[in-house]
Amino acid sequence: MLTKNSRIKEVYAHPVGRDVLGKVLLQMGRSDRILLSPLIGSIKLKILPTLTKGAVDDAFLSTLLELLNGEPDTPRRDELAETSAWWKEAVFYQIYPRSFKDSDNDGIGDLRGITSKLDYLKTLGVNAIWLSPVYDSPNDDNGYDIRDYRKIMTEFGTMADFDELLEGIHARGMRLIMDLVVNHTSDEHQWFKKALEEPDSKYGNYYIFRDTRNNWTSFFSGSAWRFFEERGQYALHLFSKKQMDLNWENPEVRQEVDDLVGWWLKKGVDGFRMDVVNYISKREGLPEGNEKIGALIGFTGMEHYFYGPRLHEYLRELKAHAFAPFNAFSVGETPGVGMQMSKLLTADYRGELDMVFSFDQLETPGHVRFDDYRYDLNYYKKYITDWMENYGSHCRMALFFENHDNPRMVSKVNPDPQYRTVLAKLLAAMLFTLKGTPFIFQGQELGMINRSFSSINELQDIESLNLYDELLKTMDEKAAFKKILAGSRDHARVPMQWTIGRFAGFSETEPWIYSGDDDSLCSVETQSGDKASVLNFYRELIAFRGEHDALIYGDIEILNKKEKDLFTYRRSNGEESFYIECNLSDNIKKQKGRSAEAFRVIGNYPDAPSMLLRPYEVTIWRADGKRSLK
Ligand code: ISL
């Protein structure tokens, strides 16, 4: 039991303490290495408020202690040989259905559109598809607000179209995972309607209603509470006003989730990506959020639900009841969760999740998504080195740079068009040669970049639109739009670019979201025929990874750790060994540590590198003396 008399080093030795302190320091742009100093480590928690002149206050300490004392477990340290599984070998491809392919020319992507592109995905080489929500929804948040879990959204097609898609995926030897959004439902879901109409029925307790509201804020701006005349009460919504948080404390709600998961698994889907699944357990009594933490991370109250007291219990129950009978796969979306917590959520002996998406690599220290800044890949090197060395053999890392909630990575790192292709290929090479399971987001395989939206009217995303209104309270339109442009989720949501024709071959009518302005070379049509394209580089790398066990299960050793701009590592499994050499910058960088016998296998420049690495150059070398590829 930790108390205010405990010392910083004891907090840092605790898995949750390590993640939380690391995260706080990261937000402040500092490294957690300072905590290893004996002087700092010996400081007692209770003197921190005085020492930090109130920056760390008493309320923060109480919350921290509650979080720490709520987690009695520590990750095991034994390192056994990693077990094999299809999802460790797979490359996943995320589809955002609204923007992938429109088959009926209403300007909105749909299921039949996806089915028509399955051969494309097969030739790309991916083995599994993650489909963002396709369920019936009023689309306040593009399907992440579900009205009926067992119905397909009308714009996307019918259940028969879904069955055809699933069959097409399985016929090609691929797998399908769905998006499970069960932290909240739409306010138009039958359960919520009944909770309002018949508060005394069982549905009355399906959501989180309170007579008074606390200070928690929504991720989509403003208070996290909405008042309902019908009950004379507030209901909690961590996301939009139409996304009502479910009450997981109610066993009947958990039973509903078990049932709907089972319903889809019976249909034959292979697993789920679980939307903000770490938010499902809220601290009892819903205490006020700490304003200082709120100011630091931008949202108030998160410390009371991002790693809630019953999270492990709920996940274990869900796995045992619904996933295990089908041996189904799960990957949790877990914002705010660090490496130690991820271990406790995914270790193979814990019976909770198979993998999680950790988000700390997406912004460099001290930045948030809406800051207009250049991402330094040296931070990625530091972050990934830590995970590669310390995540352990009981856990598998989900590797990704992009998804439907983030701007395009190439644009974040270096928007200069001369580097677009080499940089897109460098990112790909890291994704397919680091240790973990790669997830790519539609269009990433073409090197798609951010859109130059010219006005707020071109944006559709609720997060961007709400934030824009919020920002206008303190800044002018130009400054507010600049911020929105830096972080908008709509950069990733513009239509997939199939051809150089009108509307990029996505549809024959004006798409639901602005689609124009990217350079015409960025399409499946043009890149397919070009040997040097980003698309063909993806195809080559995915196939190569699939053929070499060393890249899937092999050990990883990071070399030249202190060398800025140079990221080098070895993957080997006793039989084969590869040396991967990356220049993380747009400068010329001297190579270091490559053996003279190394044999070049794949690279992002047409010819072999010399002693000097060109901007963003990456090369995969065979480093075991063998020159044949198999
Ligand atoms: O809003 C955040 C803080 O910037 C994110 O960390 C947020 O928690 C995360 O993006 C959650 O995303 C998921 O749930 C949302 C949905 O809008 C997203 O598209 C989805 O990926 C609500 O369902």
Side-chain angles (χ1 to χ4, degrees):
M1 179 87 172
L2 291 157
T3 66
K4 288 187 183 162
N5 273 320
S6 304
R7 296 174 194 277
I8 286 187
K9 64 177 175 208
E10 295 168 67
V11 173
Y12 196 62
H14 187 289
V16 175
R18 176 163 301 208
D19 281 355
V20 170
L21 293 182
K23 181 94 184 160
V24 170
L25 288 164
L26 188 71
Q27 290 288 341
M28 294 166 65
R30 302 289 298 266
S31 156
D32 58 0
R33 227 173 299 155
I34 56 162
L35 302 175
L36 297 173
S37 119
L39 196 66
I40 294 195
S42 64
I43 293 172
K44 283 192 176 172
L45 294 183
K46 66 178 178 198
I47 67 162
L48 280 179
T50 329
L51 206 65
T52 62
K53 298 199 177 79
V56 170
D57 58 13
D58 240 33
F60 174 87
L61 289 183
S62 306
T63 306
L64 180 65
L65 288 169
E66 235 170 332
L67 266 171
L68 265 61
N69 292 323
E71 178 56 271
D73 296 346
T74 40
R76 262 167 43 185
R77 284 171 187 274
D78 59 323
E79 291 296 327
L80 305 173
E82 197 181 343
T83 50
S84 59
W86 70 262
W87 48 268
K88 294 184 181 178
E89 290 159 27
V91 171
F92 282 76
Y93 186 95
Q94 183 192 351
I95 292 181
Y96 196 66
R98 183 161 284 267
S99 310
F100 192 62
K101 173 70 189 163
D102 176 15
S103 75
D104 58 359
N105 293 314
D106 62 353
I108 297 174
D110 47 48
L111 295 179
R112 299 189 75 169
I114 301 172
T115 304
S116 73
K117 295 296 182 188
L118 288 179
D119 286 330
Y120 165 73
L121 296 174
K122 184 71 192 163
T123 55
L124 177 58
V126 298
N127 322 83
I129 293 167
W130 151 25
L131 202 56
S132 275
V134 294
Y135 319 91
D136 176 43
S137 161
N139 283 308
D140 196 43
D141 185 20
N142 286 356
Y144 282 89
D145 48 321
I146 297 172
R147 185 163 49 199
D148 186 339
Y149 288 99
R150 293 174 176 81
K151 218 177 131 197
I152 297 293
M153 191 190 298
T154 321
E155 296 99 305
F156 288 174
T158 62
M159 196 55 85
D161 296 334
F162 177 84
D163 293 339
E164 193 191 356
L165 171 63
L166 181 60
E167 212 181 292
I169 290 171
H170 285 163
R172 287 168 181 78
M174 298 188 284
R175 289 183 163 89
L176 176 69
I177 66 166
M178 306 277 287
D179 215 313
L180 183 66
V181 189
V182 285
N183 172 68
H184 44 265
T185 73
S186 163
D187 63 348
E188 296 183 28
H189 194 289
Q190 279 305 319
W191 301 337
F192 192 76
K193 286 189 177 167
K194 288 196 182 139
L196 290 184
E197 288 159 15
E198 304 158 31
D200 295 329
S201 73
K202 69 169 189 169
Y203 299 105
N205 192 27
Y206 266 37
Y207 294 85
I208 304 177
F209 285 97
R210 290 291 182 277
D211 295 337
T212 52
R213 55 180 177 172
N214 64 18
N215 66 349
W216 294 7
T217 57
S218 149
F219 288 104
F220 294 162
S221 305
S223 166
W225 295 92
R226 174 173 161 200
F227 188 72
F228 287 89
E229 294 286 350
E230 297 89 329
R231 288 179 58 142
Q233 282 186 310
Y234 293 93
L236 180 70
H237 63 90
L238 295 181
F239 292 89
S240 92
K241 287 188 170 59
K242 285 176 67 64
Q243 290 168 298
M244 315 317 299
D245 280 58
L246 281 164
N247 176 18
W248 275 69
E249 301 220 330
N250 181 349
E252 284 174 304
V253 166
R254 305 206 296 276
Q255 182 67 52
E256 296 274 13
V257 175
D258 291 348
D259 291 350
L260 76 92
V261 166
W263 192 85
W264 284 98
L265 291 175
K266 250 184 240 136
K267 245 186 182 307
V269 308
D270 300 283
F272 289 92
R273 172 264 188 190
M274 296 155 82
D275 192 66
V276 289
V277 74
N278 58 317
Y279 293 179
I280 57 180
S281 161
K282 279 87 177 167
R283 191 174 310 289
E284 219 186 317
L286 312 183
E288 293 287 301
N290 183 294
E291 297 284 359
K292 291 212 167 84
I293 302 178
L296 198 63
I297 61 176
F299 313 103
T300 306
M302 197 168 166
E303 65 275 23
H304 297 304
Y305 57 77
F306 88 106
Y307 196 65
R310 298 182 67 184
L311 176 61
H312 293 302
E313 175 198 333
Y314 295 158
L315 291 176
R316 271 186 211 156
E317 185 184 282
L318 182 58
K319 171 135 184 178
H321 291 182
F323 282 75
F326 294 88
N327 197 16
F329 164 76
S330 62
V331 53
E333 187 213 23
T334 53
V337 158
M339 192 205 302
Q340 303 303 320
M341 295 172 180
S342 300
K343 286 189 186 185
L344 293 169
L345 291 167
T346 67
D348 51 10
Y349 52 85
R350 303 234 341 144
E352 298 183 21
L353 299 166
D354 290 320
M355 288 197 289
V356 290
F357 292 118
S358 146
F359 290 94
D360 289 345
Q361 87 274 19
L362 290 185
E363 312 302 335
T364 60
H367 291 117
V368 294
R369 173 153 51 90
F370 288 96
D371 292 341
D372 188 12
Y373 76 101
R374 283 266 292 269
Y375 183 101
D376 180 353
L377 283 172
N378 283 289
Y379 169 68
Y380 183 69
K381 168 181 169 182
K382 184 169 168 279
Y383 164 90
I384 206 78
T385 299
D386 189 22
W387 281 72
M388 293 292 106
E389 294 183 341
N390 299 311
Y391 201 32
S393 61
H394 290 291
C395 302
R396 179 79 172 174
M397 187 168 186
L399 300 163
F400 71 102
F401 287 116
E402 295 186 7
N403 62 25
H404 65 295
D405 291 334
N406 283 281
R408 297 287 185 178
M409 194 64 180
V410 170
S411 301
K412 284 166 70 165
V413 175
N414 195 335
D416 185 338
Q418 67 171 310
Y419 298 126
R420 177 171 176 176
T421 299
V422 278
L423 178 52
K425 290 179 178 177
L426 165 70
L427 297 172
M430 292 193 283
L431 210 53
F432 298 120
T433 58
L434 285 164
K435 187 164 185 172
T437 296
F439 283 75
I440 54 178
F441 177 68
Q442 66 187 44
Q444 191 179 340
E445 76 276 26
L446 304 174
M448 279 179 75
I449 51 171
N450 286 351
R451 272 308 135 91
S452 36
F453 296 108
S454 56
S455 119
I456 191 74
N457 300 326
E458 286 172 354
L459 297 178
Q460 303 286 341
D461 179 28
I462 183 163
E463 182 197 51
S464 296
L465 302 179
N466 287 0
L467 182 62
Y468 182 71
D469 287 344
E470 189 73 21
L471 292 173
L472 287 185
K473 292 178 187 162
T474 54
M475 54 181 80
D476 64 29
E477 289 179 3
K478 204 171 154 213
F481 186 58
K482 194 164 176 240
K483 265 191 157 318
I484 298 296
L485 209 52
S488 179
R489 309 193 295 183
D490 278 341
H491 288 299
R493 298 176 178 192
V494 298
M496 174 72 179
Q497 298 175 173
W498 297 103
T499 68
I500 50 171
R502 205 153 171 247
F503 306 130
F506 163 73
S507 176
E508 282 166 27
T509 23
E510 184 81 40
W512 66 278
I513 187 170
Y514 171 78
S515 75
D517 95 352
D518 194 15
D519 100 36
S520 59
L521 291 178
C522 187
S523 81
V524 171
E525 184 182 34
T526 38
Q527 291 198 14
S528 280
D530 172 6
K531 268 182 128 170
S533 68
V534 177
L535 176 59
N536 279 320
F537 195 72
Y538 266 80
R539 287 177 174 152
E540 190 182 357
L541 275 172
I542 294 174
F544 190 71
R545 177 185 181 276
E547 285 159 10
H548 295 279
D549 176 86
L551 295 177
I552 297 171
Y553 292 113
D555 291 336
I556 182 158
E557 186 191 358
I558 315 281
L559 308 150
N560 295 310
K561 279 191 221 167
K562 295 225 162 85
E563 197 74 31
K564 189 169 180 286
D565 295 338
L566 186 68
F567 184 32
T568 53
Y569 48 96
R570 202 188 311 279
R571 295 294 313 271
S572 39
N573 66 353
E575 271 177 38
E576 301 174 304
S577 178
F578 296 99
Y579 176 72
I580 295 100
E581 180 180 56
C582 314
N583 178 359
L584 300 179
S585 73
D586 55 6
N587 297 319
I588 304 287
K589 184 80 199 165
K590 220 165 146 189
Q591 83 83 17
K592 205 174 164 190
R594 181 201 311 156
S595 96
E597 287 84 59
F599 166 66
R600 176 181 184 265
V601 185
I602 298 176
N604 62 348
Y605 279 81
D607 49 345
S610 63
M611 298 306 280
L612 300 176
L613 306 183
R614 290 159 283 191
Y616 301 114
E617 179 151 24
V618 61
T619 309
I620 302 174
W621 301 88
R622 179 122 208 176
D624 47 25
K626 296 180 198 149
R627 297 182 77 82
S628 72
L629 285 184
K630 256 299 208 183

